[in-house]
Amino acid sequence: MVFARIRRFISRSSARPIEGPDLPDNLAEIYQKARNGHVLEQVLWGKVLLDSQYVPRDVDKAREWFTIAASANYGPAHNMLGRCSQFGWGCPLSLEDAVRHYDRAAQLDDLWGIYNLGICHMRGLGVEPDRRKAFLLFRRAALRGHAKSMNLLARFIEEGWETPANPIAALEWYQRSADGGDYRGQHNYATALLSMGQPDEALRYWRMAVKDATPDILQAMQRELSEPNAPQDPELMATLQERLKAALPETD
């Protein structure tokens, strides 16, 4: 029954080609491979439908593509179904369903699924809070190279949550997270570098972080760089203010 519905969905999608002169070649290729049964491209095409300037946003169809790939036991697809349930994309918002999909993604060794399941256990989203489980999940993903998990593992080690506090080990994990491209890790590592008297290195990592940081990290950067003894970088501050203005527009 499930596979029959999947075949009908692909058939309907195939009957309405999306690619055209305004769709870049790489997206057209993703769409064609998704239609031909490639699970990676099915997830990628679902993500395109969630957020792309080239096609209208369609959360229902995005979730259908994730469901197709999940039926083949593809971990990243279960992770995206978890995101759909967590935020109500194409389905009712359900943290319990989100945890169920993240758990399945983790069982299938998807690093984002492991990380998101760790977040749920750490914050008590859809499950009772359990720092021990969160710590083990973040460590598992961090040891596999997941930069965001590295940052949270560093926080656990720094604070002594579920593991002995070890500032040196925490600093090493913050650096690995920063070098792996996580803006939170970059901010945390920059803050540590500044406290150790390395302002030039701190600025280098803040310049990395400012490009992708969310408003909470941008505000934290602003606080650090506004301190009287903070290093001066007018270009960085200008970029920071521009990003904050865009992220937090003034209201009347």
Side-chain angles (χ1 to χ4, degrees), residues 127-162:
V127 291
E128 289 296 318
D130 190 330
R131 275 187 177 175
R132 181 64 182 170
K133 287 184 179 178
F135 167 71
L136 294 175
L137 287 162
F138 294 140
R139 185 177 68 178
R140 175 183 166 192
L143 290 171
R144 293 276 307 281
H146 190 259
K148 285 191 175 295
S149 295
M150 291 175 186
N151 176 63
L152 283 170
L153 177 62
R155 180 71 187 280
F156 272 69
I157 295 172
E158 180 184 15
E159 301 291 345
W161 296 337
E162 307 301 331

Side-chain angles (χ1 to χ4, degrees), residues 25 28 30 40-41 45 51 54 64 80 82-83 88 90 97 126 130 135 137 157 160 162 177 179 184 194 204 206:
D25 290 344
I30 287 171
L40 169 60
E41 282 73 21
W45 184 249
D51 183 21
Y54 296 103
E64 288 181 355
M80 289 308 302
R83 300 287 286 174
D97 283 348
D130 190 330
F135 167 71
L137 287 162
I157 295 172
E162 307 301 331
S177 173
D179 290 339
R184 292 182 186 275
L194 185 60
R204 185 167 75 86
W206 271 319

Side-chain angles (χ1 to χ4, degrees), residues 4-221:
R5 289 200 300 269
I6 291 172
R7 285 194 296 270
R8 286 197 296 272
F9 169 70
I10 294 178
S11 176
R12 292 197 305 272
S13 300
S14 301
R16 300 191 306 277
I18 297 176
E19 66 273 31
D22 296 327
L23 193 64
D25 290 344
N26 63 320
L27 293 188
E29 182 179 1
I30 287 171
Y31 178 58
Q32 291 296 340
K33 286 187 174 180
R35 285 171 44 180
N36 290 335
H38 295 259
V39 289
L40 169 60
E41 282 73 21
Q42 287 168 349
V43 170
L44 291 177
W45 184 249
K47 290 181 178 181
V48 169
L49 291 170
L50 288 177
D51 183 21
S52 174
Q53 61 179 313
Y54 296 103
V55 296
R57 178 175 168 85
D58 193 329
V59 294
D60 294 321
K61 283 193 172 56
R63 190 174 184 279
E64 288 181 355
W65 281 110
F66 299 145
T67 300
I68 292 171
S71 70
N73 287 322
Y74 188 52
H78 279 285
N79 176 65
M80 289 308 302
L81 286 175
R83 300 287 286 174
C84 289
S85 293
Q86 184 174 352
F87 297 104
W89 299 336
C91 63
L93 191 153
S94 171
L95 294 178
E96 291 76 13
D97 283 348
V99 169
R100 180 171 57 84
H101 283 297
Y102 292 146
D103 185 64
R104 183 58 183 147
Q107 292 174 24
L108 294 167
D109 214 26
D110 176 63
L111 296 181
W112 278 105
I114 296 168
Y115 167 79
N116 285 324
L117 184 61
I119 292 290
C120 290
H121 282 295
M122 182 175 72
R123 297 180 179 171
L125 303 175
V127 291
E128 289 296 318
D130 190 330
R131 275 187 177 175
R132 181 64 182 170
K133 287 184 179 178
F135 167 71
L136 294 175
L137 287 162
F138 294 140
R139 185 177 68 178
R140 175 183 166 192
L143 290 171
R144 293 276 307 281
H146 190 259
K148 285 191 175 295
S149 295
M150 291 175 186
N151 176 63
L152 283 170
L153 177 62
R155 180 71 187 280
F156 272 69
I157 295 172
E158 180 184 15
E159 301 291 345
W161 296 337
E162 307 301 331
T163 187
N166 187 332
I168 295 175
L171 185 65
E172 291 175 353
W173 279 110
Y174 280 133
Q175 181 177 10
R176 291 178 66 177
S177 173
D179 290 339
D182 178 48
Y183 60 82
R184 292 182 186 275
Q186 289 162 350
H187 167 69
N188 289 331
Y189 188 51
T191 303
L193 287 169
L194 185 60
S195 71
M196 294 186 298
Q198 301 181 46
D200 291 341
E201 272 295 280
L203 286 174
R204 185 167 75 86
Y205 279 95
W206 271 319
R207 291 186 199 108
M208 297 179 192
V210 75
K211 295 179 289 185
D212 299 312
T214 47
D216 60 321
I217 297 299
L218 293 171
Q219 290 174 315
M221 290 173 58

